[in-house]
Amino acid sequence: MHWVGDGFAVRSLFSYDGLGQQEASPFLMLDYGAPRDFTPSSHQRGVGVHPHRGFETVTVAYHGEIAHRDSTGQGGIIGPGDVQWMTAASGILHEEFHSPSFAQAGGVMEMAQLWVNLPKAHKMAPPAYQPILQQDMPVAALPDGAGSVRVIAGHYTGTDGVEAKGPATTFTPIDLWDVSLKAGKAVTLSLPEGHTVMLVARRGSLLVNGTDKAAATELVLLSREGGGFTLTAGDEDTEILLMSGEPIDEPVVGYGPFVMNTPDEIRQAIVDFQAGKFGRM
């Protein structure tokens, strides 16, 4: 566990300089902040102004409230079940804090932040921000009453044959789902062959394809060969964050908050940031 600022106690379940540059593509990093109780405070805990270039950050709030503000003038507060999808692209400054009301009242904070790479053709696109509220994300039932799938990005076809399509706009084909699986229940999911598929049980435990056990907060990385796999919940209800995406077959060169394709592009990102080209808060 490490702290991001003074507001987010997270574990990095993978990163572009750890798991490998291509094994997780198009994903670069996943930080998970397990449920943590914060006492009431007059101080808004969080992380102050910092830059990004070359990718997107996806922040999912499970408990608590997170306030966002960036150099495009966008911002707002996301609460339980909400998502903020920020496209840093050519460069952005932003900050993330506990909301004023959450700081004042205190409570449990649980969140996840996923970094999604951008193809070279879009790394210097204008920055953007998508606030995605819980009520805008469709929820589909799993077969045999096994649970449900909440679709943040991509699509899932439920037991009624109706396709649930997530509201997030993405640059590459991505499926990002919250899967709720009831204790002892199993489900077979199918995602496009050749895509990266990773998942983590935020709580509970899983048996993957009938053989491999995954405890809470252990990362599961599946083979890109074959489209179907089976998940079986342990003896308690299990909450799963599932990520799937089309790999980006391009070099990955990163330096902290900048992820580009070449060392020269990283050096240029640093020069541009120091020159104030990422805008102002």
Side-chain angles (χ1 to χ4, degrees):
M1 188 275 285
H2 65 275
W3 284 91
V4 178
D6 64 354
F8 306 104
V10 303
R11 290 175 60 195
S12 293
L13 301 187
F14 69 89
S15 63
Y16 63 83
D17 57 357
L19 179 62
Q21 295 183 352
Q22 294 302 326
E23 287 90 339
S25 181
F27 308 111
L28 296 168
M29 188 193 76
L30 177 64
D31 275 356
Y32 173 60
R36 187 181 187 92
D37 191 55
F38 286 88
T39 58
S41 172
S42 58
H43 162 67
Q44 281 181 259
R45 302 177 178 96
V47 57
V49 178
H50 58 283
H52 291 295
R53 172 179 276 185
F55 61 98
E56 302 182 284
T57 67
V58 181
T59 304
V60 186
Y62 292 107
H63 292 95
E65 289 185 344
I66 302 170
H68 165 94
R69 189 168 67 98
D70 65 45
S71 54
T72 71
Q74 297 288 331
I77 293 173
I78 58 170
D82 298 338
V83 175
Q84 59 183 21
W85 196 298
M86 187 187 76
T87 303
S90 60
I92 201 168
L93 305 176
H94 81 141
E95 62 182 23
E96 297 162 293
F97 287 95
H98 296 182
S99 74
S101 60
F102 179 84
Q104 185 176 19
V108 174
M109 175 69 69
E110 180 189 6
M111 53 75 67
Q113 186 172 91
L114 176 68
W115 288 13
V116 182
N117 201 10
L118 288 171
K120 180 178 180 64
H122 300 294
K123 281 187 177 290
M124 295 302 289
Y129 176 73
Q130 300 176 65
I132 305 172
L133 301 181
Q134 178 170 281
Q135 61 263 30
D136 297 327
M137 289 176 268
V139 178
L142 293 173
D144 302 320
S148 62
V149 173
R150 185 180 76 143
V151 184
I152 301 169
H155 58 87
Y156 174 80
T157 301
T159 55
D160 54 5
V162 176
E163 182 183 76
K165 181 173 173 54
T169 299
T170 68
F171 285 85
T172 55
I174 289 172
D175 289 284
L176 184 60
W177 304 342
D178 278 317
V179 181
S180 297
L181 195 56
K182 294 180 181 177
K185 292 286 190 176
V187 63
T188 298
L189 299 172
S190 183
L191 288 155
E193 187 165 7
H195 281 206
T196 298
V197 180
M198 295 187 292
L199 54 95
V200 59
R202 295 171 25 242
R203 58 179 52 83
S205 61
L206 287 170
L207 190 65
V208 183
N209 288 330
T211 56
D212 296 304
K213 293 181 179 179
T217 71
E218 287 187 327
L219 183 73
V220 176
L221 173 65
L222 297 173
S223 169
R224 289 174 179 158
E225 298 176 359
F229 56 95
T230 300
L231 304 176
T232 306
D235 57 6
E236 60 180 309
D237 292 351
T238 300
E239 299 292 334
I240 304 157
L241 177 62
L242 182 147
M243 303 147 277
S244 174
E246 182 177 80
I248 300 171
D249 187 19
E250 295 173 354
V252 174
V253 179
Y255 181 78
F258 308 131
V259 182
M260 303 299 288
N261 299 115
T262 69
D264 282 346
E265 290 172 337
I266 293 295
R267 285 189 282 270
Q268 188 62 54
I270 295 170
V271 169
D272 290 347
F273 167 61
Q274 292 174 340
K277 294 183 179 180
F278 283 28
R280 295 183 179 181
M281 297 292 288

